[in-house]
Amino acid sequence: MIIDERFMQRCLHLAEKGRSTVAPNPMVGCVIVHQNKIIGEGWHQKAGQPHAEVNAIANVKDKALLKKSTVYVSLEPCNHYGRTPPCAHLLVAQGVKRVVVGCQDPFEKVNGSGIETLRQAGIEVVVGVLEKACQRQNERFFIFHQQKRPYILLKWAQTANNMIAPLPEDKASQRPFYIAQQSDLRRVHQWRSEEAAIAVGAQTAMDDDPALTTRWVHGNNPVRVLLDPHDRVGKEHRIFNGEAKTLHYTHLTLGLSPNPSPKEYLSAVLKDLYTKEITSLLVEGGRFTLQQLIDGNLWDEARIYIGEKTISEGIEAPQFPAMRQGKRHQGWQHR
C-alpha cells in the first residue's frame, strides 16, 4: 500500500537521526498512525536508552487511541531482554491493532521472534514495506550479525594517474602530501564521526603519523585501530596520544605466531573487533593494508577520492578484482 510506504519513509527519516549515536544497536524509527494521522513518533536515540517504539508511544497524548492505531517501525520489534525490555511485548500490552515492519532483525535473539510474538497476540503484522531501504540503512548492523565482523569501508585518495603517495625516498621533501582539497578532508572527518572505528597499517602510522580524529568537524572520535602485526610503531606517534581510544593489534596481543599470514592476522583482528561490538571499520591505509583486505574479500564499501594532481613516480593505488555482487565502489572528485 502506498500509504504504508509513506509512513515507513517517515520511520527511515527518524531513524537516521541516530546514525552517530546508537551503535552497536541499529537505527530504528517508529511512527504511530490513527485514521491516517500521525499521533506519535520516535527513534532510537542512543545505545542503552529507550527504543523507537517506547519513545513513539510516550509521544502519544491519548493512549486510548493505540488500540485503534497502526504502528510503523523500520526494523522488527525486539523480543528479548537486553539493556531495555522487549518492544514486541510492549506493543502487545498496549493492544495495538496493526504493526507494519520494514524488515526483519538478523540478530539471533530476535530474527523473526518479535514478529511471531505480535501475530500470536492477534495483531495484524505486515512485513517488508520498503524492505531494501530499511536493510540498506542498517547495513552495518546486518553485516555485523550475519558475518560476525564489522562492516568494512575502504577509503583512500589517489592522483589523476592512480598514485596514492610519493615513493618513500621522496616523501621527506613532499610532506605533507595532500591529494584531497580541504573541503573534502572535512567530509572525511565527518565520515570518521559516523563509524565505530578507524584503522591504518603500521607503515602509514610511521610515515604519515595520522591522528585519526574528527578535529575538523563536531562529532565523536572513532576507536583507532593500529594494524601492526610485528609491533613496529613506537609510542611517540600520534595514534597513541590519548585523544581517542586506540586498539594496538600485534601478533602478541592476538596470541599469534611471530610471522602470521595476512589472512590469519586479519581474521584474528576482525574476530576481536566483533567481540568488542565494533560494528563498522573505516580503513584509511596504507596500500598494503587496503590491498590485503581487497584480496581477502574483507570489505563492503570503497570510497575513493580522485584528485587533479599527478606525480611522475609513486605508490600505486590498490586494485580491485572483478566487482563482486553486493559490493559498493564509489569515487568522488573535487570540482
Side-chain angles (χ1 to χ4, degrees), residues 1-9 72 129-130:
M1 293 175 60
I2 293 177
I3 193 166
D4 283 347
E5 292 183 356
R6 178 162 67 90
F7 289 123
M8 188 59 67
Q9 190 62 54
Y72 293 84
V129 175
L130 297 185

Side-chain angles (χ1 to χ4, degrees), residues 239-274:
I239 198 167
F240 295 116
N241 63 12
E243 291 180 4
K245 181 178 179 179
T246 297
L247 297 175
H248 185 196
Y249 287 112
T250 70
H251 74 276
L252 289 172
T253 62
L254 293 170
L256 302 176
S257 65
N259 292 294
S261 69
K263 181 179 180 180
E264 180 186 18
Y265 173 74
L266 289 173
S267 176
V269 169
L270 296 180
K271 181 178 180 180
D272 191 70
L273 291 175
Y274 174 76

Side-chain angles (χ1 to χ4, degrees), residues 189-223:
H189 281 228
Q190 181 61 41
W191 288 345
R192 290 177 178 178
S193 74
E194 295 169 355
E195 306 306 335
I198 182 171
V200 293
Q203 199 64 50
T204 297
M206 292 187 294
D207 289 350
D208 298 342
D209 199 22
L212 304 180
T213 59
T214 59
R215 57 196 178 279
W216 287 3
V217 299
H218 179 70
N220 296 324
N221 286 322
V223 173

Side-chain angles (χ1 to χ4, degrees), residues 124-140:
E124 178 188 352
V125 182
V126 177
V127 182
V129 175
L130 297 185
E131 183 176 37
K132 289 186 178 179
C134 292
Q135 291 172 339
R136 177 69 174 272
Q137 185 175 60
N138 275 310
E139 56 193 345
R140 289 155 179 75

Side-chain angles (χ1 to χ4, degrees), residues 107-118:
F107 182 39
E108 59 188 6
K109 291 184 179 180
V110 185
N111 199 22
S113 65
I115 293 167
E116 183 61 24
T117 293
L118 297 174

